[in-house]
Amino acid sequence: MPLLTTRPSMAMKICVGLSLVILLGLGSWQVDRLFWKENLIAQREVQSTLPPIAVPTDVSLDPAMAFRAAFAEGHFLNDQEKYLMARTRRGNVGFQLITPLEQEDGRIILVNRGWVPSDNRDPATRPESLIETPVHVTGVLRLPKQKHWAQPENDALDNQWFYVDVEHMAEDSGADLASPYYLELDESAVPGGLPIGGQAKVQLPNNHLQYAITWYSLALSLIVVFVIYHRRPEDDKDKKNT
């Protein structure tokens, strides 16, 4: 059966062309995101597996130090706990417990000790977590967070924090900061089992390859449909015109 080739209208050419540009652009963007995410994961893995260093004090913030393995020593100021709200673990709602770690000079390093269920917000329900003796803790360095547009404002009065603001948290604790970083603890065992450390996300979800394949597949499908539509069998064209 002979094929009849028709010329697509200008409107169709424009619509298909624009759609194709958008789909290819989205696919290319996901490829860029793929390489960015792979580099980020690799950097975090390297940083977190280096020999731990003492949490840097009296230094300027260096973004390259994010997720660097580190340790700190001091006394926990248990009466100054901060609750980083709306944090989930395995589908359970809770918070992450940030406790100031007092240094010999009275200044503090903020320590994210890990996840705690909502039912254990009251320190009386987890007395073993209120360590009074000097501690040596290990984890990774984290950078202070900027508020995301969708996050509520921190509320120091109700002790509800939605992002880590080290300066505000130190001010609320009545102490000066020794370091611009905060330390996020690893999965080392703790008395009573709470808080649960190891909440730092070194491994990140990376689905950008699947997304890129999806967008490129849609672009290819659009081309195939466009070509087939304009090269239909001649009798099908006649039937449609009758």
Side-chain angles (χ1 to χ4, degrees):
M1 184 180 296
L3 294 176
L4 180 64
T5 302
T6 60
R7 295 175 61 84
S9 67
M10 181 58 67
M12 181 173 289
K13 285 181 180 179
I14 292 173
C15 289
V16 171
L18 287 175
S19 299
L20 193 59
V21 168
I22 292 172
L23 292 172
L24 292 175
L26 288 170
S28 299
W29 176 63
Q30 289 297 337
V31 171
D32 289 339
R33 294 282 294 174
L34 171 65
F35 292 135
W36 169 80
K37 184 66 72 65
E38 288 177 342
N39 289 334
L40 181 62
I41 293 172
Q43 181 183 8
R44 288 188 178 187
E45 288 178 342
V46 169
Q47 291 282 70
S48 64
T49 55
L50 291 172
I53 61 171
V55 174
T57 58
D58 301 312
V59 295
S60 298
L61 198 66
D62 180 3
M65 293 293 286
F67 287 87
R68 179 69 167 82
F71 66 87
E73 297 175 340
H75 287 84
F76 281 131
L77 300 181
N78 295 304
D79 61 338
Q80 295 297 328
E81 290 182 345
K82 313 298 178 193
Y83 306 132
L84 195 59
M85 306 302 294
R87 298 302 190 271
T88 60
R89 182 177 183 271
R90 298 177 180 176
N92 298 309
V93 179
F95 61 93
Q96 290 180 9
L97 180 63
I98 296 180
T99 309
L101 186 68
E102 187 177 42
Q103 309 297 286
E104 290 184 356
D105 61 4
R107 296 185 301 166
I108 62 171
I109 294 170
L110 291 177
V111 177
N112 185 337
R113 300 176 62 191
W115 184 84
V116 177
S118 295
D119 292 342
N120 296 101
R121 173 164 174 162
D122 185 351
T125 64
R126 44 179 172 82
E128 291 178 291
S129 71
L130 306 177
I131 303 172
E132 300 292 342
T133 56
V135 296
H136 174 97
V137 290
T138 56
V140 294
L141 296 179
R142 299 299 305 274
L143 308 180
K145 297 289 185 66
Q146 296 294 324
K147 179 183 179 298
H148 188 271
W149 66 269
Q151 288 177 315
E153 293 289 346
N154 287 332
D155 187 346
L157 273 179
D158 288 336
N159 199 2
Q160 295 191 117
W161 306 82
F162 297 93
Y163 60 98
V164 179
D165 182 341
V166 294
E167 292 185 0
H168 191 187
M169 287 180 167
E171 180 183 347
D172 183 66
S173 301
D176 293 327
L177 278 170
S179 175
Y181 306 97
Y182 68 99
L183 183 66
E184 193 152 344
L185 299 193
D186 56 26
E187 296 176 325
S188 299
V190 296
L194 292 175
I196 300 173
Q199 302 304 310
K201 295 180 179 179
V202 176
Q203 284 290 343
L204 299 171
N206 188 5
N207 301 314
H208 299 294
L209 178 59
Q210 294 93 309
Y211 297 152
I213 291 173
T214 297
W215 291 122
Y216 286 140
S217 297
L218 288 172
L220 179 61
S221 299
L222 178 62
I223 294 172
V224 171
V225 169
F226 181 79
V227 171
I228 290 176
Y229 180 83
H230 292 93
R231 291 180 63 82
R232 288 174 296 167
E234 186 174 356
D235 60 346
D236 286 351
K237 296 271 187 176
D238 296 336
K239 288 178 182 178
K240 187 172 181 179
N241 293 329
T242 58

